[in-house]
Amino acid sequence: MFNDVIVNMLELIETRIAQMRDRALELLNSASDFMNYVIEIAPNREFTRFIAVDSGFTEIAYLGFRISVINVALLMNIDGKGHVINRFDALLGISSEELERMALDMEVQYALEYSRSFPVDIVLLDGALIGRNYVNRFTIPLLAHVKDIKVNRYSQGITSNEFRNYVNRALQIMEEPLVMHMIMETYRARNKSVNALITKPYVVGKVGDREVYGFYVQYLPATLPIYTEYMGDPDMIQRVISRLVPLSTMPRLGYQLRFTSLIGLLRLTRTSGKWLG
């Protein structure tokens, strides 16, 4: 009896896999119909003044008190030479759930502060723009790579019925980045392209009265594209991406250094608020 149950389960799994394979092949064969939603972008090596921001946080127990420490690191390139600034904040009475949200807001707050003090072309963030405070106060473009996608914002923002229906069918068997990967690789195969690619930008939400544009970017062939949010003049999106392409030596991580822990930030520098050459 037990063996019969196992055999039936395996047969069912095999049937489902075959069905998924057939649907995936059908979607792949149809991907060429949507290559016009892919934009090719050649690299622009013009000097770009930027601020890239990331953060880490931890909790420390001391004499019965729980102290939350947030460290925001800013990598600034405003004169052809990289500079790192660390900002530390120690907080009391902050829950673990609030820490991440506060760290994200502090990233934007400090980036805004320094962008007002130095001439900057673009601010680069790690994580979505939507849901953060302060982002609608910038007068320069903001670009954010989102590697951990929790909501399919891009597919929800597509205004073309044909394209949206295709993506929605594909989402039934694969994740959104893989759908865009399939279309982009089809474009590359047909056009022999090795340049960066983005999908057509769509409005995916608002922060205050400012529109946020979403799209996928693939800096190098055969890499999984990264969901990206942008705030600024939509006519400047392609120019912004073209200037970031030469900086993208780690295509899955995107444009900026990935600070994964407070310890990593402390090893980078122990000097808060000072220039490092």
Side-chain angles (χ1 to χ4, degrees):
M1 176 66 179
F2 179 75
N3 289 339
D4 291 341
V5 172
I6 295 298
V7 169
N8 290 336
M9 288 178 60
L10 292 174
E11 289 178 347
L12 179 60
I13 292 172
E14 184 178 359
T15 300
R16 292 290 176 84
I17 292 175
Q19 291 173 346
M20 290 179 63
R21 179 195 61 201
D22 293 341
R23 293 183 64 185
L25 287 173
E26 182 270 327
L27 291 166
L28 179 60
N29 292 332
S30 302
S32 59
D33 297 336
F34 302 96
M35 292 191 301
N36 57 321
Y37 293 95
V38 175
I39 302 169
E40 183 170 351
I41 299 179
N44 181 345
R45 301 191 181 278
E46 179 183 349
F47 176 68
T48 302
R49 299 166 299 183
F50 67 85
I51 299 175
V53 194
D54 211 337
S55 64
F57 53 85
T58 190
E59 293 182 295
I60 302 171
Y62 181 73
L63 297 178
F65 293 96
R66 190 179 75 249
I67 303 172
S68 301
V69 180
I70 297 176
N71 180 202
V72 178
L74 301 96
L75 173 63
M76 300 180 62
N77 182 23
I78 57 175
D79 54 7
K81 184 178 180 181
H83 307 278
V84 175
I85 296 176
N86 266 5
R87 299 292 296 264
F88 292 87
D89 289 272
L91 307 167
L92 292 174
I94 303 300
S95 68
S96 300
E97 293 74 19
E98 291 179 294
L99 259 181
E100 182 175 5
R101 180 187 57 78
M102 292 189 68
L104 292 173
D105 285 344
M106 285 182 179
E107 289 177 14
V108 183
Q109 184 178 6
Y110 288 135
L112 179 63
E113 175 185 333
Y114 285 99
S115 70
R116 288 173 170 173
S117 302
F118 303 96
V120 177
D121 298 312
I122 187 170
V123 170
L124 310 173
L125 299 175
D126 184 25
L129 296 178
I130 296 175
R132 294 203 206 197
N133 292 316
Y134 306 107
V135 296
N136 60 335
R137 300 184 185 181
F138 284 84
T139 57
I140 57 176
L142 285 175
L143 192 92
H145 284 170
V146 188
K147 292 172 284 294
D148 300 318
I149 300 175
K150 298 178 181 178
V151 180
N152 292 328
R153 285 180 179 154
Y154 180 72
S155 56
Q156 294 174 9
I158 295 173
T159 57
S160 164
N161 290 333
E162 185 181 18
F163 187 32
R164 184 176 62 249
N165 291 338
Y166 173 82
V167 173
N168 287 339
R169 292 203 317 273
L171 287 175
Q172 295 175 14
I173 61 171
M174 64 183 75
E175 295 183 351
E176 193 175 78
L178 189 56
V179 180
M180 303 308 152
H181 177 80
M182 183 170 59
I183 297 172
M184 287 174 163
E185 288 301 304
T186 299
Y187 178 95
R188 289 190 185 279
R190 296 291 179 90
N191 295 281
K192 309 299 180 184
S193 172
V194 295
N195 287 324
L197 302 178
I198 68 170
T199 57
K200 181 179 178 180
Y202 289 99
V203 176
V204 295
K206 284 189 174 183
V207 177
D209 59 349
R210 303 281 301 279
E211 291 182 328
V212 176
Y213 292 83
F215 54 94
Y216 276 84
V217 58
Q218 186 191 50
Y219 290 109
L220 294 174
T223 57
L224 197 65
I226 307 169
Y227 172 63
T228 303
E229 290 185 351
Y230 170 90
M231 181 179 288
D233 182 353
D235 294 332
M236 292 293 292
I237 291 177
Q238 294 183 43
R239 178 173 173 80
V240 167
I241 294 297
S242 71
R243 297 173 74 173
L244 293 181
V245 171
L247 306 178
S248 304
T249 57
M250 301 177 67
R252 184 63 194 127
L253 297 185
Y255 47 69
Q256 61 182 6
L257 299 176
R258 178 69 169 166
F259 301 108
T260 56
S261 67
L262 180 63
I263 298 301
L265 288 167
L266 290 171
R267 287 174 180 168
L268 180 64
T269 172
R270 294 180 180 276
T271 306
S272 177
K274 293 185 179 181
W275 293 100
L276 296 181

